[in-house]
Amino acid sequence: MLKNYLITTFQYLQKHKTFSIINLVGLTLGLTVSFFALLYVNFELSYDSYHENADHIYRLVTDVKSSTGIDYRGSAVPLAPAIQEAFPEVKVATRTVFDYLIMQKEDGAASEEKIAYADSSFFSVFTFPFVAGNPNKALNAPFNIVLSESSAKKYFGEVDPIGKTLLINGKDRAYITGVMKDIPNNSHFRVDMLLSLSTLLEVWNPNLATRWISARSSSYLLLHENVNVASLQKQFPSFVEKHFDQHEFQYTLLLEPLKDIYLYGKPRGSRSGSAITGSPDNIYILSVVAGFVLLIASFNFVNLTTAFSLQRAKEISVRKVLGASRGQLIFQFLSDTILLSVIACFLSIALVILLTPVFQQLSGKVIDFGISKNIKDIGSFLLLAVAIGLLSGIYPAFFLSGFKPINSLKGKLIPSSKGIALRRSLVLSQFSISIILVVGTLIVFQQLYFMQTQELGFKKDHRVVIDFQFDLNVKKHAETIKDQLTSLPGVVAASISSCIPGRSNHKLDTEIENADNLNQISRMDAYFVDQDFLHQYEIEIIAGRPFSNKIASDS
């Protein structure tokens, strides 16, 4: 009997090809949009959840309150070890400091890399599988470095890099002690290399290890199970009073759950990888939009199915005369609509697989879609398709299976007023939701256009940047280097600065006179520049004058 129902359904779809194609296209597109939205939302909600101890890892952050507001910082370098020593609730503490470094093979080309200085305890807190090397010993000594799988292939190809070296900023050698798998895209920080933190604290900048004012690091605590986080955080004020000067600034230590950092944490710091944050509002908006699109597609499917079902009245009447029961007719109608929606579901899955690269480019997210990896999502959408088919088939199934066949055979079938009202309400809902989406799309387009065309306050086109990593030789011979660069064909001007607009920069606690003629300390972004910087980027002077090498006091 089931086989007979399916054969009848396929014959019906084949006979009414135009109706079937229109219904399939509409529902397929709606399901495809919703599927992409589901993938995006699941990806955004999955940040940092892949770590084995994700539920017990917290980021230790510092809020610094001053007369100008609250400055959201990371943590001082000596903070994490002191917290671990002071509070037995902390199982392991680890630190990272994000940076850019120029890396190269001894005789190879140089390349700028995102790196993080990391404690030897880093891999005891986070779960990053190793391809080669021992994670427990990989960062134990200065100039030990762990490469991601991609960076290892970039510099060494298929050759085993363990024991080999990379040159840092053209002078220091880093010894490769491990290769880990690439940090997943759903991580709130992503770097290509991990350099031992002892390199920074014992060799390059030992003073940083005891500086409680500087908040350059990101500290993470792995707590013991069953620790009351709120109770632990209430103990921090007495610790802060002991280690921080609370006269000019008010310091507050907070714990952020690892899995909440991306969506709910504030950007802390400005170095590479330390300020990657998402927006829960984007998730809500995208979910609502996807729901609206799916509603439009579903209403369209129901409306077309309901309207077209009246053309089957004589067919149903003949079946009744030949002895078909009402239950059998209802099942036939439902099987027709459910099969059509299931076909639309599989077509939408095929479209998702085909369009995933385009979606990644548009969304800026590297979302890996696969049948085996997303089996739960596919199952959910299959159930949704069945539900849509069921709902769209209920009304025509019960309506057509209930009328008297003699009226249909005589051509006296009058559409139900309830059926007409249903179709009208569905059409009205479709148009209303469509208008809302169109208006919303226009607003978003205007905002994006504004973002793309708004003046930034500096010119960025036709500028090439060379990062010299604060090389003292470059500073010492700055004017000579600039003269050499400007002598190159096509180079109009050159400037040297500590950073560039849009890139991470120094932040200095600066005492400045306010409107009330009182000195107050404010945390300022500071660019160290030469006399050509403002001209180079065409930054407008609205008061005073630019720097000049002809005025001695400007140096």
Side-chain angles (χ1 to χ4, degrees):
M1 185 63 73
L2 181 60
K3 181 181 178 181
N4 183 59
Y5 285 135
L6 291 175
I7 291 173
T8 304
T9 297
F10 277 113
Q11 288 175 342
Y12 162 70
L13 296 178
Q14 188 175 13
K15 182 179 179 181
H16 305 288
K17 291 180 181 178
T18 304
F19 160 77
S20 303
I21 291 173
I22 292 174
N23 242 356
L24 272 176
V25 170
L27 189 56
T28 299
L29 291 178
L31 288 172
T32 302
V33 170
S34 301
F35 210 133
F36 275 127
L38 177 65
L39 290 176
Y40 182 89
V41 169
N42 283 349
F43 182 81
E44 292 290 280
L45 295 175
S46 71
Y47 266 72
D48 299 304
S49 60
Y50 56 86
H51 297 287
E52 290 181 7
N53 298 308
D55 293 328
H56 306 295
I57 299 173
Y58 293 81
R59 183 171 70 170
L60 182 64
V61 297
T62 312
D63 286 357
V64 184
K65 187 177 182 180
S66 67
S67 57
T68 57
I70 298 177
D71 186 18
Y72 301 102
R73 304 185 190 179
S75 58
V77 171
L79 182 57
I83 286 283
Q84 183 174 3
E85 184 178 349
F87 299 98
E89 294 92 336
V90 179
K91 185 177 181 179
V92 184
T94 194
R95 299 163 293 180
T96 58
V97 178
F98 299 98
D99 206 351
Y100 297 89
L101 290 177
I102 306 299
M103 310 296 292
Q104 65 183 120
K105 290 177 69 175
E106 296 287 344
D107 55 350
S111 179
E112 183 181 82
E113 300 288 355
K114 293 179 181 180
I115 72 106
Y117 304 99
D119 265 322
S120 57
S121 58
F122 182 82
F123 296 107
S124 298
V125 175
F126 297 106
T127 306
F128 295 118
F130 263 48
V131 177
N134 184 346
N136 297 321
K137 300 179 180 179
L139 299 172
N140 280 355
F143 296 106
N144 283 359
I145 191 168
V146 174
L147 306 182
S148 67
E149 202 169 11
S150 293
S151 59
K153 289 181 180 179
K154 173 182 176 180
Y155 287 96
F156 299 99
E158 300 301 323
V159 178
D160 183 7
I162 300 297
K164 292 182 169 52
T165 62
L166 285 175
L167 210 56
I168 305 175
N169 292 342
K171 53 183 179 179
D172 295 311
R173 286 182 175 81
Y175 297 88
I176 300 167
T177 55
V179 177
M180 64 179 182
K181 288 195 171 293
D182 292 351
I183 293 178
N185 291 293
N186 56 340
S187 176
H188 78 280
F189 66 82
R190 295 195 74 242
V191 294
D192 301 308
M193 301 179 179
L194 294 169
L195 184 61
S196 56
L197 185 61
S198 56
T199 308
L200 181 65
L201 301 185
E202 296 177 17
V203 182
W204 289 345
N205 194 354
N207 293 330
L208 197 61
T210 56
R211 290 188 63 189
W212 285 86
I213 296 178
S214 175
R216 284 189 60 189
S217 73
S218 296
S219 299
Y220 301 89
L221 308 179
L222 173 59
L223 305 182
H224 290 284
E225 293 185 15
N226 302 320
V227 168
N228 189 318
V229 178
S231 177
L232 173 61
Q233 196 163 281
K234 287 179 181 178
Q235 302 176 56
F236 285 166
S238 58
F239 177 89
V240 170
E241 290 289 342
K242 182 179 178 181
H243 292 89
F244 292 89
D245 182 1
Q246 296 279 68
H247 291 94
E248 294 179 343
F249 299 101
Q250 296 296 314
Y251 292 84
T252 303
L253 298 183
L254 301 169
L255 292 175
E256 296 179 336
L258 179 66
K259 293 196 288 188
D260 290 348
I261 291 174
Y262 174 71
L263 284 178
Y264 303 102
K266 291 182 171 59
R268 306 275 176 171
S270 56
R271 299 305 285 178
S272 162
S274 60
I276 300 175
T277 56
S279 170
D281 290 340
N282 288 345
I283 292 178
Y284 300 143
I285 291 171
L286 189 63
S287 299
V288 170
V289 169
F292 278 163
V293 171
L294 188 59
L295 276 178
I296 291 174
S298 300
F299 288 171
N300 185 66
F301 186 79
V302 172
N303 218 2
L304 286 175
T305 303
T306 304
F308 198 77
S309 63
L310 294 175
Q311 297 189 22
R312 304 182 68 182
K314 288 187 177 182
E315 172 196 338
I316 301 303
S317 299
V318 171
R319 288 192 177 198
K320 275 198 166 189
V321 170
L322 294 175
S325 68
R326 187 178 185 186
Q328 290 173 329
L329 294 173
I330 290 174
F331 192 87
Q332 180 66 65
F333 264 103
L334 293 179
S335 65
D336 292 348
T337 55
I338 289 173
L339 181 61
L340 197 63
S341 59
V342 168
I343 292 173
C345 180
F346 283 111
L347 287 175
S348 71
I349 292 171
L351 272 179
V352 168
I353 295 172
L354 183 65
L355 298 176
T356 292
V358 178
F359 176 72
Q360 290 177 345
Q361 188 175 5
L362 289 173
S363 66
K365 303 287 182 180
V366 183
I367 300 174
D368 185 17
F369 176 77
I371 299 297
S372 59
K373 293 180 180 179
N374 300 86
I375 193 69
K376 289 184 179 179
D377 295 336
I378 292 173
S380 299
F381 256 73
L382 191 57
L383 289 175
L384 178 62
V386 170
I388 292 172
L390 191 63
L391 290 173
S392 63
I394 282 178
Y395 171 75
F398 281 89
F399 168 66
L400 289 180
S401 63
F403 63 75
K404 296 178 180 180
I406 189 66
N407 292 331
S408 175
L409 293 174
K410 289 181 177 181
K412 297 181 179 180
L413 182 62
I414 300 174
S416 168
S417 59
K418 291 183 179 179
I420 295 173
L422 173 65
R423 291 198 299 276
R424 285 177 177 174
S425 62
L426 290 177
V427 170
L428 180 63
S429 299
Q430 275 183 275
F431 274 101
S432 300
I433 295 173
S434 298
I435 291 170
I436 292 172
L437 290 179
V438 169
V439 172
T441 302
L442 290 175
I443 292 172
V444 170
F445 175 79
Q446 289 177 341
Q447 290 297 310
L448 289 174
Y449 179 77
F450 172 79
M451 291 167 62
Q452 292 170 343
T453 58
Q454 173 69 6
E455 286 293 330
L456 299 175
F458 68 94
K459 300 297 182 182
K460 61 184 178 64
D461 296 329
H462 306 293
R463 272 75 176 172
V464 176
V465 179
I466 303 171
D467 193 335
F468 65 90
Q469 285 289 324
F470 307 104
D471 190 325
L472 294 177
N473 288 321
V474 174
K475 289 184 179 181
K476 187 177 180 181
H477 303 287
E479 293 304 319
T480 303
I481 291 173
K482 285 166 62 178
D483 290 340
Q484 292 289 325
L485 289 173
T486 51
S487 67
L488 296 173
V491 178
V492 177
S495 170
I496 293 183
S497 59
S498 63
C499 49
I500 60 172
R503 191 74 179 267
S504 56
N505 55 280
H506 294 277
K507 294 182 184 294
L508 300 180
D509 292 331
T510 306
E511 190 172 287
I512 189 169
E513 189 176 292
N514 62 20
D516 299 322
N517 298 321
L518 298 174
N519 287 339
Q520 70 178 42
I521 294 180
S522 299
R523 192 162 180 80
M524 301 287 190
D525 290 342
Y527 287 65
F528 298 93
V529 305
D530 64 9
Q531 70 276 4
D532 297 315
F533 180 84
L534 296 173
H535 174 71
Q536 173 89 330
Y537 292 97
E538 299 182 35
I539 297 174
E540 182 184 357
I541 299 289
I542 61 171
R545 61 172 177 80
F547 297 124
S548 171
N549 56 359
K550 296 179 180 179
I551 301 175
S553 59
D554 279 13
S555 64

